[in-house]
Amino acid sequence: MNADPLEIQKFSELAHRWWDPTSEFRPLHEINPLRLEWINARAPLAGKTVIDIGCGGGILTESMARKGATVTGIDLSEKALRVADLHSLESGVQVRYELIAAEDMAAREAGRYDVVTCMEMLEHVPDPGAIVRAAATLVKPGGHVFFSTLNRNPKAYLYAVIGAEYLLRMLPKGTHDYDKFITPAELSQYARGAGLDVQGLKGLGYNPLSKIYSLNDDTSVNYLVATRRPL
Ligand code: SAH
């Protein structure tokens, strides 16, 4: 199975705090409006069928459903999915959550989705290329696949590990393993290898003084990639 049990355990242990915007998941809450609008501008979500791979507690998942999409969220953390499910019951936003590996879902529901998202997840799996291939299998011809992850270079190490985990203590120590970070060139290669066209890259910046996130063209730390399956 293409999953690291320690990674799944790490997210499961924190899962009860997923929807607390002051918790370890604060960065996901703060970047969510930015990534949601970026996705929605490229693939207007209303009426679309969407799958969110590695959905966790459902921050992006639920927000895409609020835009009028029919959304499925999958993850391998049972606890995160339970939290996601409870939250959607409470908020009244309908989402289908399922504990299933991306590769298994790809075998079962190939070509069924207009939009596939996989955010802040590839840097936690043993074989990210296999997840990219599963995403490419799940999307319809002409559909969109969006990824986000952490770049691998000294600046990314300084900001995403030393800065976020040790200096600013925004994330628990050990959240991210530098060796698993993925460069935009590597991610683009996985995407092209899976038959996806890479359409655009966007950087996700954080200003530690203003504590404000923004989308920009600096992909050196956290970045998003938009891809599309040809018709
Ligand atoms: N995509 C969400 C959550 C990111 S946290 C968001 O951006 O808001 C990373 C998530 O990936 C966690 O929920 C973790 O359980 C999940 N994950 C890690 N390895 C996985 C794997 N191999 N398969 C599916 N999910 C995985």
Side-chain angles (χ1 to χ4, degrees):
M1 163 102 75
N2 181 20
D4 178 342
L6 290 175
E7 290 278 3
I8 304 299
Q9 189 190 336
K10 203 165 66 185
F11 287 102
S12 294
E13 277 164 8
L14 303 172
H16 58 287
R17 286 200 291 274
W18 212 289
W19 283 90
D20 174 353
T22 65
S23 73
E24 295 85 351
F25 297 104
R26 178 182 193 140
L28 296 180
H29 286 275
E30 297 204 339
I31 66 174
N32 199 57
L34 297 171
R35 61 190 187 180
L36 177 66
E37 289 312 324
W38 180 76
I39 292 166
N40 194 48
R42 293 176 166 267
L45 290 164
K48 295 265 175 27
T49 303
V50 180
I51 186 160
D52 187 21
I53 301 174
C55 63
I59 296 171
L60 177 68
T61 335
E62 224 184 81
S63 70
M64 293 193 291
R66 278 186 194 278
K67 289 273 186 198
T70 301
V71 189
T72 300
I74 63 170
D75 203 285
L76 288 176
S77 164
E78 201 175 342
K79 256 193 90 187
L81 289 173
R82 208 177 308 142
V83 167
D85 222 7
L86 279 174
H87 193 273
S88 81
L89 282 176
E90 208 176 300
S91 64
V93 178
Q94 210 179 318
V95 180
R96 170 177 73 139
Y97 288 109
E98 192 173 335
L99 184 81
I100 184 171
E103 293 91 333
D104 294 339
M105 197 58 155
R108 200 178 86 193
E109 300 191 349
R112 292 240 198 120
Y113 294 91
D114 300 305
V115 175
V116 180
T117 55
C118 180
M119 302 293 185
E120 314 301 329
M121 183 266 199
L122 293 173
E123 71 275 20
H124 299 287
V125 303
D127 181 0
I131 302 290
V132 174
R133 285 194 293 280
T137 303
L138 285 160
V139 78
K140 291 178 187 170
H144 297 261
V145 185
F146 300 101
F147 300 101
S148 72
T149 191
L150 289 166
N151 201 341
R152 193 178 66 259
N153 58 55
K155 184 179 167 191
Y157 180 69
L158 189 66
Y159 279 59
V161 181
I162 302 298
E165 296 182 15
Y166 290 83
L167 301 179
L168 303 176
R169 305 195 180 182
M170 295 163 66
L171 297 173
K173 294 184 179 73
T175 297
H176 286 119
D177 175 2
Y178 175 73
D179 295 334
K180 289 196 192 148
F181 292 5
I182 302 163
T183 67
E186 288 164 345
L187 184 47
S188 300
Q189 210 171 334
Y190 292 141
R192 282 193 296 270
L196 298 170
D197 292 335
V198 177
Q199 299 210 307
L201 263 80
K202 205 77 196 161
L204 191 56
Y206 179 68
N207 181 332
L209 297 177
S210 66
K211 300 191 176 170
I212 287 176
Y213 289 88
S214 57
L215 292 186
N216 55 37
D217 291 321
D218 178 1
T219 56
S220 59
V221 183
N222 206 345
Y223 65 98
L224 302 133
V225 184
T227 73
R228 198 156 185 190
R229 179 169 165 186
L231 273 170

